[in-house]
Amino acid sequence: MKEILIFAGTTEGRELSEVLAASQISHTVCVATEYGEALLGRHPLRAIHCKRMDQEEIKRFIKAGDFAAVVDATHPYALEITCNILLAVKELNIPYIRLKRETGPGPAQKDPAWEKVRRFDSAEECAKALEETEGNILLTTGTKDLCRYCISQQVKKRLFVRVLPSVESISICREQGLQGRQILAMQGPFTTEMNQAIFRQYQIACVVTKESGRPGGFQEKLEAAREAGIQVFLIGSQPEEQGFSFEQTCEKLGEICGKPLKNRRFMWITLAGIGMGDEKNLTGEVKEAIENADLLLGSERALASCRHGLEKKPIYQAEQIIPYLKELQERGEGMPSLKATVLFSGDSGFYSGCQSLYSALKDEISSGTLKASLRILPGISSISYLAACTGESYDTAAIYSIHGKELNNLSRKIRQNQKTFLLLSGVKDLNRLGKLLTEAGMEYCQVVAGRQLSYGDEQIQYLTPEECCQAEEEGLYTCLIKNPKAAFPHITPHLPDSALIRDQVPMTKEEIRQVGICKLRLHKNAVVYDIGGGTGSVSIEIAGLSDEIQVYALERKQEAADLIYRNKKKFGLENITVLQTEAPRGLETLPAATHAFIGGSGGRLEEILAMLYRINPCMRVVINAVSIETICQLRRLLPLYPIENQETIQLQVSRAREAGCYHLMQAENPVWISAFDFTRKETPCVPTNP
């Protein structure tokens, strides 16, 4: 099959090469500089010719090759090279396709961005006018006409030139006598914010540009100049190009090659936090991402807050967005690339669905199923907004969310912090919060409720828990709960036996459970089985150490199971699940434990250990034994398992009691504590069906 020849001088030329490569079509790309060659990269179906050529050289090069068509994707202002290509192709009778640059709508002539724009027909005319200006000048028209601006020393000393980071461009700048600080070697296109940063850094008073169209970043340059109050000198007008769009070019090449081209558009994907919703609270970067987008995605509420004329689609979950983007990429209609901005309420990194979408998109990009770049832009969270409105800081506050979800031990969290910020949904969550505080005996707390923050009907109310219960006005709420009686949480087991409801159920004594829990070596997000829970004293102590720990208390006697539940309610611990069952029955239906505490086995220790090992062969286990028979059984069973970090201790606690004016020590029964880690190092010699 014959090859396709591309003369590339624009982004579209490089993207067309990518499409041909993806379609398994061999082609040659001609570029003028080594920098242009480096941008293309290597591909087995892509040959690169790096050299400037005149008309005769172009003719000889085409004649020496075996090309089915020639695509002219040079810059719209590179009129000479386009003319040379046309004349060479005409003599050789090879199909010629002019790929037009995508210009986009551009700003209207009545747009405020045009107020400080002066047009000039030529570089000479522009250079002459610059002599009458003051302040630094940013030249963004390349190096072709640089000499015309360097004739005047008065202009030259104020000149900063933004050129491609190629050896050729920098050499031309040096030849014209420009100093290193005057040469900004950078690859565009540039965002509005980047242009603004350059204007500030180099104290630019005037920017010189050509109307280079959408891919050249002309609109962003004009907008940055408008916002900075900078004069714009515009040379010429964009040539009226004859030719074909990117999509039409792909169709024609497909016809010539006899196979359809896989026009997979490159996508620039931005995940943006839009704050609370009002447009005035958008960050500059997010505002720019929205304004420059070809497509906006997000919830209906997020999209409604953006008065933007381009396409909007109300989807925001990965399972909706990824197939849609793939469809757009494969369809490849219109522009060779697409800017998609996904909007998330609040801050993209704070209780946001942004992170899950980001991970899913990264996987698609890494696997090559989606051809895109990806970035995240933060927004202003309602927490920081409410803190600013109330004059409060949040650096020492606890921050949680019950927006569309449940939260374990919320009353305990509030009890332990002087300030707690809480994201809510509607007024029902505010009612729920008031009821929670009232039932927990925290009527003394003050609730600062921010409703519809940033909107015109914004309200900030200072409420009691009772008033929260009675609230009726619907809206989005964010709250600050101020607790003047906050108690610091304990970080070690600490409950005295007298704090627990006991009745006639056996209980692991205070000192014994404290040592046993320490031997468990718990960590954040641990999942713990408390087998033979008794009164639930061990479960209560463990669950109280961290809300991130989940405890499953198993007890075979109904009376004891009811007692565990009563103690759970007394201490407000929602991270305990009570099961009335005889272990190991029921263990296989629970989430896999990281730790297990066995306070009572009901004579089924052998079956329990076998089940624990099958559930997690890396589990940490602590076993309390009070009878000689259990100790002997342990000595027989433990050698059957691959274990490490084993230790066995005996504890005997004596308590002082008063006898008249004396204190006598009263001994408790001795308890053996065996602790170890299961390990996968060997195959255990345990029964397969315990």
Side-chain angles (χ1 to χ4, degrees):
M1 180 188 293
K2 292 186 176 183
E3 291 189 0
I4 302 297
L5 177 61
I6 303 172
F7 287 89
T10 61
T11 302
E12 290 88 344
R14 295 194 296 273
E15 290 177 342
L16 180 61
S17 173
E18 292 293 335
V19 170
L20 291 172
S23 304
Q24 298 296 301
I25 296 175
S26 297
H27 59 286
T28 297
V29 185
C30 291
V31 293
T33 65
E34 291 180 357
Y35 182 70
E37 180 180 8
L39 288 177
L40 281 165
R42 297 296 173 185
H43 191 280
L45 295 174
R46 177 193 298 133
I48 302 174
H49 179 77
C50 180
K51 185 179 181 297
R52 292 189 186 276
M53 295 187 287
D54 59 24
Q55 181 184 331
E56 283 302 316
E57 288 174 317
I58 292 173
K59 182 179 176 180
R60 287 197 299 271
F61 185 80
I62 296 175
K63 195 172 182 179
D66 188 19
F67 300 113
V70 174
V71 179
D72 180 5
T74 58
H75 197 280
Y77 283 100
L79 301 179
E80 183 179 347
I81 183 66
T82 291
C83 181
N84 289 338
I85 296 169
L86 270 170
L87 292 173
V89 170
K90 185 177 181 180
E91 293 184 27
L92 296 172
N93 197 28
I94 293 177
Y96 168 86
I97 301 171
R98 172 60 179 168
L99 173 56
K100 292 194 299 185
R101 162 158 278 197
E102 174 63 44
T103 60
Q109 290 292 330
K110 293 183 180 180
D111 191 290
W114 288 91
E115 290 178 0
K116 290 197 171 186
V117 174
R118 289 180 59 186
R119 283 190 179 273
F120 300 92
D121 292 332
S122 65
E124 291 89 348
E125 186 181 339
C126 177
K128 189 68 176 175
L130 286 172
E131 294 181 13
E132 302 171 6
T133 65
E134 295 181 355
N136 292 340
I137 303 161
L138 179 65
L139 185 68
T140 66
T141 57
T143 57
K144 181 180 178 182
D145 294 319
L146 179 59
C147 60
R148 309 189 190 282
Y149 298 94
C150 293
I151 293 173
S152 168
Q153 290 298 316
Q154 195 260 3
V155 171
K156 181 177 176 179
K157 67 182 182 181
R158 297 184 286 125
L159 206 59
F160 290 84
V161 296
R162 192 164 72 187
V163 296
L164 290 173
S166 67
V167 174
E168 182 182 19
S169 296
I170 296 172
S171 296
I172 293 173
C173 292
R174 288 295 196 184
E175 289 169 6
Q176 293 300 319
L178 295 179
Q179 302 298 313
R181 67 180 187 85
Q182 294 177 277
I183 305 169
L184 313 182
M186 308 172 73
Q187 168 67 34
F190 302 96
T191 63
T192 301
E193 186 181 50
M194 185 61 178
N195 283 311
Q196 289 172 330
I198 292 173
F199 295 164
R200 287 193 302 269
Q201 176 69 26
Y202 296 97
Q203 299 178 325
I204 300 301
C206 178
V207 59
V208 180
T209 183
K210 291 181 180 179
E211 198 168 344
S212 54
R214 183 189 184 107
F218 175 69
Q219 188 169 349
E220 290 82 356
K221 199 184 307 180
L222 204 64
E223 178 63 22
R226 183 190 67 79
E227 293 183 7
I230 290 174
Q231 178 78 59
V232 177
F233 281 17
L234 182 62
I235 302 171
S237 58
Q238 187 166 9
E240 290 294 328
E241 280 198 271
Q242 301 297 317
F244 301 96
S245 68
F246 193 91
E247 182 185 5
Q248 291 170 332
T249 299
C250 289
E251 289 177 359
K252 286 191 169 295
L253 290 178
E255 293 171 3
I256 291 170
C257 296
K259 59 186 296 189
L261 267 61
K262 296 179 180 178
N263 182 7
R264 297 179 66 225
R265 286 189 284 185
F266 188 86
M267 294 190 174
W268 306 86
I269 303 173
T270 300
L271 311 184
I274 61 169
M276 291 133 292
D278 193 279
E279 189 176 3
K280 66 178 180 290
N281 294 116
L282 295 176
T283 67
E285 273 191 316
V286 171
K287 183 178 179 182
E288 181 180 344
I290 293 172
E291 290 174 348
N292 293 337
D294 304 308
L295 171 67
L296 292 178
L297 307 173
S299 67
E300 291 186 2
R301 173 177 169 266
L303 294 175
S305 66
C306 296
R307 295 188 292 274
H308 195 264
L310 293 181
E311 182 183 355
K312 301 178 185 178
K313 192 169 183 66
I315 55 175
Y316 56 92
Q317 295 178 334
E319 55 267 29
Q320 300 169 310
I321 287 177
I322 290 175
Y324 180 67
L325 292 180
K326 286 182 177 179
E327 178 189 343
L328 289 180
Q329 190 165 75
E330 293 299 330
R331 200 190 304 163
E333 296 173 353
M335 297 172 290
S337 61
L338 181 140
K339 295 179 182 177
T341 298
V342 187
L343 307 180
F344 293 92
S345 61
D347 179 17
S348 53
F350 183 73
Y351 290 106
S352 171
C354 174
Q355 295 303 314
S356 58
L357 177 59
Y358 180 81
S359 297
L361 287 170
K362 286 287 285 184
D363 290 343
E364 296 290 339
I365 293 170
S366 298
S367 66
T369 56
L370 197 62
K371 186 181 176 185
S373 71
L374 184 61
R375 64 171 179 164
I376 296 178
L377 297 179
I380 299 173
S381 74
S382 59
I383 298 297
S384 61
Y385 187 95
L386 180 60
C389 290
T390 57
E392 297 282 352
S393 65
Y394 55 94
D395 51 357
T396 59
I399 303 175
Y400 303 106
S401 174
I402 56 171
H403 181 79
K405 66 177 186 177
E406 296 296 324
L407 184 65
N408 275 346
N409 304 338
L410 178 56
S411 62
R412 276 172 38 84
K413 296 177 191 294
I414 296 172
R415 191 184 300 278
Q416 294 171 354
N417 291 279
Q418 292 180 337
K419 290 189 289 188
T420 303
F421 282 92
L422 192 63
L423 297 178
L424 289 74
S425 299
V427 71
K428 289 185 178 179
D429 278 352
L430 184 62
N431 301 152
R432 187 157 60 106
L433 174 63
K435 182 180 179 183
L436 182 81
L437 293 173
T438 302
E439 291 179 349
M442 290 189 284
E443 297 91 345
Y444 49 81
C445 287
Q446 182 186 59
V447 178
V448 184
R451 176 186 167 276
Q452 296 295 94
L453 294 177
S454 84
Y455 289 97
D457 56 345
E458 171 185 296
Q459 287 180 309
I460 296 179
Q461 302 171 289
Y462 293 79
L463 307 173
T464 64
E466 183 180 355
E467 289 170 334
C468 290
C469 295
Q470 298 168 356
E472 297 179 351
E473 198 164 10
E474 194 53 78
L476 287 172
Y477 284 87
T478 299
C479 289
L480 164 62
I481 302 103
K482 301 176 76 172
N483 180 5
K485 300 181 181 180
F488 292 114
H490 293 276
I491 57 175
T492 60
H494 65 283
L495 292 175
D497 290 344
S498 59
L500 294 143
I501 306 169
R502 181 177 177 183
D503 293 347
Q504 301 301 312
V505 175
M507 178 171 66
T508 302
K509 295 298 188 294
E510 175 178 342
E511 292 81 8
I512 303 300
R513 67 171 173 267
Q514 289 171 0
V515 173
I517 291 171
C518 289
K519 294 295 182 184
L520 273 173
R521 301 176 184 173
L522 296 167
H523 55 69
K524 186 178 179 181
N525 299 320
V527 177
V528 185
Y529 297 160
D530 178 13
I531 298 172
T535 61
S537 62
V538 172
S539 291
I540 298 298
E541 289 273 28
I542 291 174
L545 295 177
S546 172
D547 295 329
E548 281 71 39
I549 294 176
Q550 184 62 47
V551 181
Y552 294 89
L554 289 81
E555 174 54 55
R556 61 192 177 98
K557 296 180 180 178
Q558 185 64 56
E559 176 190 0
D562 292 343
L563 194 60
I564 298 173
Y565 186 78
R566 288 168 62 193
N567 276 313
K568 168 188 170 178
K569 295 294 288 183
K570 176 181 177 179
F571 291 96
L573 294 166
E574 298 169 16
N575 53 332
I576 299 177
T577 301
V578 184
L579 298 98
Q580 196 269 306
T581 185
E582 184 173 12
R585 188 184 307 120
L587 288 177
E588 68 276 6
T589 64
L590 300 177
T594 56
H595 301 74
F597 182 90
I598 304 175
S601 62
R604 304 186 67 179
L605 183 59
E606 184 173 350
E607 295 106 305
I608 291 171
L609 287 175
M611 178 64 76
L612 293 180
Y613 188 85
R614 284 207 300 276
I615 290 172
N616 180 7
C618 295
M619 190 184 299
R620 176 72 174 173
V621 181
V622 171
I623 303 172
N624 278 10
V626 294
S627 70
I628 294 174
E629 286 75 15
T630 302
I631 296 166
C632 292
Q633 189 179 20
L634 273 174
R635 289 189 63 189
R636 177 178 62 84
L637 292 175
L638 292 186
L640 301 177
Y641 293 88
I643 61 176
E644 60 186 6
N645 302 320
Q646 181 186 7
E647 54 180 325
T648 302
I649 62 173
Q650 185 197 60
L651 290 182
Q652 184 168 9
V653 177
S654 296
R655 299 177 182 276
R657 66 177 181 84
E658 293 184 0
C661 59
Y662 297 96
H663 289 79
L664 302 179
M665 300 306 294
Q666 181 172 323
E668 300 284 355
N669 290 331
V671 177
W672 291 69
I673 300 177
S674 180
F676 55 88
D677 294 305
F678 283 135
T679 176
R680 288 192 177 96
K681 288 181 179 178
E682 306 171 30
T683 302
C685 303
V686 296
T688 55
N689 294 298

